[in-house]
Amino acid sequence: MKEADDYGSEDHRKRASVWFQALRDDLCRALEACEDGVTGPNGTSAGEPGRFEQASWRGDENSDAGGGGGVMSVMRGRVLEKAGVNVSTVWGEFSEEYRDKIPGAAEDSRFWASGVSVVIHPCSPLVPAAHMNTRMIVTTQGWFGGGADLTPVFPIEADTADFHGAYKDACDRHDADYYPKFKKWCDEYFFLPHRGETRGVGGIFYDNLDTGDWEKDFAFTQDVGRAFFDVYPALVRRHMDEDWTEEERQAQLVKRGRYVEFNLLYDRGTQFGLKTGGNTEAILMSLPPEVRWP
Amino acid sequence: MKEADDYGSEDHRKRASVWFQALRDDLCRALEACEDGVTGPNGTSAGEPGRFEQASWRGDENSDAGGGGGVMSVMRGRVLEKAGVNVSTVWGEFSEEYRDKIPGAAEDSRFWASGVSVVIHPCSPLVPAAHMNTRMIVTTQGWFGGGADLTPVFPIEADTADFHGAYKDACDRHDADYYPKFKKWCDEYFFLPHRGETRGVGGIFYDNLDTGDWEKDFAFTQDVGRAFFDVYPALVRRHMDEDWTEEERQAQLVKRGRYVEFNLLYDRGTQFGLKTGGNTEAILMSLPPEVRWP
């Protein structure tokens, strides 16, 4: 086991938070390029290519997220109906409720957390929705967590295979056990028990990753981000010019309802963020722009 | 304090569940009459008057809600975009998780519950959404619970006053303490801490009501239902013929997002139902037909 200082060092914190921002910048550029490249029905009907707009927020000094803040980058485009890329770096003290739930917080309730979170709801029901998140947390312990998953309305085998393949490659470069373990974790995590269905077609999910070697864990976390950068915009381009029907659009709006149900009923990040005084707009940026429960 | 048998008697259970069904029938007829009576822009543009359609469900023998079942009545109308009136009578055993949370369940985990639940999302942003629920629960203890609240997009003082007035009258007929207590409980309950806002303009909320006199508590619970029958359809009629703008409609779709956030993040009935193996479609009937998180 490493010393908490390994995760807690100023240098490591800085390198992680700078990396999350760099990934944000790369991803936003790649997604804007999709907006420019579309030639299909949506691109010709819905005006100008979308661009990300940034809004900064500061932590409320009276809340748990006492210090720090974040930047929301949101695009409402003609390919991607709502794409949110949030980076935040916050610190503070956990409330009583969380001290027993968070590793290392019982001894000392102070925490530091930095991460990037991406949620994309495309216009076309044929382009899969997607989520990616990576984060570094420091209490008296320290760890990385994150993952990525794909939520198509109409799953296509080749897309699913490519998405899983990208994550298998990323995992296998670091540890042969990661992919099977983190894929299973994802399937178990993104499950709606009241519907008896998964949120999407899966991907990977990991948390509390601390091998004792910060450099190794950071390198893996970077590769989780890079895999998303490599595979997701390519999936968008693969389908963004295809025509779709109103019936398919309606199915998408219903599918998005399941996404909302998962995020508000079960997602730990959402509940954690809202209960620790995180920025509501940034946390709920994940909710789809238009939804139906018919 | 009464004996549990007072609440648990066959006769009392039957009278309560029969009443919930009778209220359902009366309410559905009153809401269908609104559909017939509309002459405004929505009525002239959106086809035939809506009618409630019923669907029955049976409890899953393998779940906590082992026995019983319910009937969902749903109308998708030209005045009321989605109106759901559910009655259910279920019995079974609480799981470990709930035994310590439900009065009287620690000693014996068996329960019986019957109730009626009403959620209405009107087409027009000028007609307030509304919710009403009354229920009788029996464990080794027994009690009534319920309430009603109004959720306008653009609150109008006279509507709010009439709604509160109807509930003040209903309460005051039974106990001078009820209205101030149950109104406050409603304001506290239907609050979204992460938004710092209430769900709507309030109403009343009560739970664990057991004065020791089942007849008295049942009579009050009936009046809670009758008050809704008296006041809500009248509010619908007051505004259903008014013209509205696309901007007002968009504001309604955003307001409905708050409704979804409340129900999935905080509503005890929703969480309780989903976690005790209740009927998912019936429980999530409360979710609005169309929602936006722009």
Side-chain angles (χ1 to χ4, degrees):
Chain A
M1 294 293 293
K2 53 93 218 120
E3 297 293 314
D5 284 348
D6 188 26
Y7 265 76
S9 83
E10 185 76 23
D11 176 57
H12 288 170
R13 295 183 192 198
K14 181 153 190 189
R15 282 171 60 202
S17 60
V18 166
W19 156 256
F20 295 137
Q21 291 171 48
L23 177 62
R24 185 264 320 273
D25 293 341
D26 288 348
L27 255 177
C28 289
R29 270 194 293 269
L31 296 172
E32 288 179 347
C34 293
E35 291 284 324
D36 292 330
V38 71
T39 59
N42 191 46
T44 53
S45 67
E48 296 299 303
R51 287 291 176 264
F52 278 94
E53 291 182 14
Q54 295 196 339
S56 299
W57 58 272
R58 305 294 309 168
D60 173 358
E61 297 293 332
N62 297 318
S63 77
D64 287 330
V71 178
M72 296 189 286
S73 299
V74 187
M75 179 167 72
R76 294 175 180 85
R78 59 186 190 179
V79 175
L80 306 177
E81 195 174 337
K82 186 176 171 187
V85 186
N86 293 329
V87 293
S88 66
T89 300
V90 294
W91 53 89
E93 289 196 41
F94 285 120
S95 62
E96 290 282 348
E97 184 189 352
Y98 272 95
R99 279 175 210 175
D100 294 333
K101 294 181 184 169
I102 306 287
E107 301 90 314
D108 183 335
S109 62
R110 289 174 299 173
F111 71 92
W112 178 95
S114 183
V116 58
S117 177
V118 183
V119 175
I120 298 162
H121 296 289
C123 299
S124 166
L126 307 183
V127 176
H131 156 257
M132 192 277 290
N133 164 251
T134 51
R135 57 190 176 272
M136 174 178 154
I137 315 277
V138 182
T139 61
T140 62
Q141 300 178 33
W143 64 90
F144 284 99
D149 68 296
L150 197 69
T151 308
V153 186
F154 308 103
I156 291 172
E157 217 168 295
D159 296 351
T160 306
D162 288 350
F163 193 80
H164 287 316
Y167 277 98
K168 184 173 189 309
D169 289 348
C171 288
D172 286 353
R173 278 198 293 279
H174 297 270
D175 192 317
D177 292 336
Y178 280 0
Y179 183 68
K181 183 178 168 189
F182 297 160
K183 179 179 189 298
K184 181 161 175 280
W185 201 343
C186 184
D187 289 340
E188 288 166 358
Y189 182 80
F190 292 108
F191 183 73
L192 289 79
H194 66 287
R195 297 286 189 187
E197 49 186 67
T198 58
R199 185 171 85 170
V201 297
I204 65 165
F205 183 93
Y206 66 108
D207 205 358
N208 304 112
L209 179 71
D210 172 16
T211 62
D213 181 346
W214 184 88
E215 292 290 352
K216 178 176 155 65
D217 300 341
F218 181 48
F220 170 66
T221 290
Q222 289 176 299
D223 275 351
V224 169
R226 286 188 193 105
F228 191 82
F229 175 83
D230 288 340
V231 72
Y232 182 68
L235 292 180
V236 172
R237 287 175 178 277
R238 189 180 292 175
H239 297 291
M240 69 185 187
D241 291 321
E242 294 168 1
D243 204 358
W244 70 83
T245 66
E246 179 56 25
E247 200 180 350
E248 288 165 332
R249 172 69 178 175
Q250 291 301 315
Q252 179 192 41
L253 300 185
V254 172
K255 178 78 176 169
R256 286 178 175 175
R258 304 293 204 264
Y259 201 93
V260 174
E261 290 172 22
F262 180 83
N263 280 29
L264 298 183
L265 285 169
Y266 304 113
D267 187 57
R268 278 188 256 165
T270 302
Q271 305 242 343
F272 175 80
L274 294 177
K275 288 192 176 177
T276 54
N279 183 274
T280 295
E281 287 298 331
I283 295 162
L284 297 184
M285 182 54 62
S286 64
L287 299 179
E290 192 182 340
V291 186
R292 285 186 65 84
W293 282 275
Chain B
M1 293 290 291
K2 54 93 218 118
E3 297 293 314
D5 283 347
D6 189 28
Y7 264 78
S9 81
E10 186 74 24
D11 175 57
H12 288 170
R13 295 184 192 196
K14 182 154 189 188
R15 283 172 59 201
S17 60
V18 166
W19 157 256
F20 295 139
Q21 290 171 47
L23 177 62
R24 184 262 321 271
D25 293 341
D26 288 347
L27 255 177
C28 289
R29 270 193 295 268
L31 297 172
E32 287 178 349
C34 293
E35 292 284 323
D36 293 330
V38 71
T39 58
N42 192 46
T44 53
S45 66
E48 296 299 304
R51 286 294 175 259
F52 278 94
E53 293 183 12
Q54 294 197 339
S56 299
W57 57 272
R58 305 294 308 167
D60 174 357
E61 297 293 333
N62 297 318
S63 79
D64 287 329
V71 178
M72 295 188 287
S73 299
V74 188
M75 178 168 72
R76 294 175 181 86
R78 60 186 187 179
V79 175
L80 306 176
E81 194 173 337
K82 186 176 172 188
V85 186
N86 294 327
V87 293
S88 66
T89 301
V90 296
W91 52 89
E93 290 197 40
F94 284 121
S95 63
E96 290 283 349
E97 185 187 354
Y98 272 95
R99 279 175 211 175
D100 295 334
K101 294 181 184 168
I102 306 287
E107 301 89 313
D108 182 336
S109 60
R110 289 174 299 174
F111 71 92
W112 177 95
S114 184
V116 58
S117 177
V118 182
V119 175
I120 297 162
H121 297 288
C123 300
S124 166
L126 306 183
V127 176
H131 156 259
M132 192 278 290
N133 165 252
T134 53
R135 58 192 175 270
M136 173 178 155
I137 315 277
V138 182
T139 60
T140 62
Q141 299 177 33
W143 64 90
F144 284 99
D149 67 295
L150 197 70
T151 308
V153 185
F154 307 102
I156 292 173
E157 217 168 294
D159 296 351
T160 304
D162 288 350
F163 193 80
H164 287 315
Y167 277 98
K168 184 173 190 309
D169 290 348
C171 288
D172 285 352
R173 277 197 293 279
H174 297 270
D175 191 317
D177 292 337
Y178 280 1
Y179 183 68
K181 183 178 169 188
F182 297 160
K183 179 179 188 298
K184 181 161 176 278
W185 201 343
C186 183
D187 289 339
E188 287 166 359
Y189 183 81
F190 293 108
F191 182 73
L192 290 79
H194 66 286
R195 297 285 189 186
E197 46 186 73
T198 58
R199 186 170 83 170
V201 296
I204 65 164
F205 183 94
Y206 68 108
D207 205 358
N208 304 112
L209 179 70
D210 172 15
T211 62
D213 181 346
W214 184 88
E215 294 290 352
K216 178 177 154 67
D217 299 341
F218 181 46
F220 170 66
T221 290
Q222 288 176 299
D223 275 351
V224 170
R226 286 188 193 106
F228 191 80
F229 175 84
D230 288 340
V231 72
Y232 183 67
L235 292 180
V236 172
R237 287 175 179 278
R238 188 179 293 173
H239 297 292
M240 70 185 186
D241 291 321
E242 294 168 1
D243 204 359
W244 69 84
T245 66
E246 178 56 25
E247 200 178 352
E248 288 165 331
R249 171 70 179 174
Q250 292 301 316
Q252 179 192 40
L253 301 184
V254 171
K255 179 78 177 168
R256 285 177 175 175
R258 304 293 205 265
Y259 201 93
V260 173
E261 290 172 22
F262 180 84
N263 281 27
L264 299 182
L265 285 169
Y266 303 113
D267 187 57
R268 280 188 254 165
T270 302
Q271 305 241 343
F272 175 80
L274 294 177
K275 288 193 176 176
T276 53
N279 184 275
T280 295
E281 287 298 331
I283 296 162
L284 297 184
M285 182 54 63
S286 65
L287 299 179
E290 193 182 337
V291 186
R292 286 186 64 86
W293 282 274

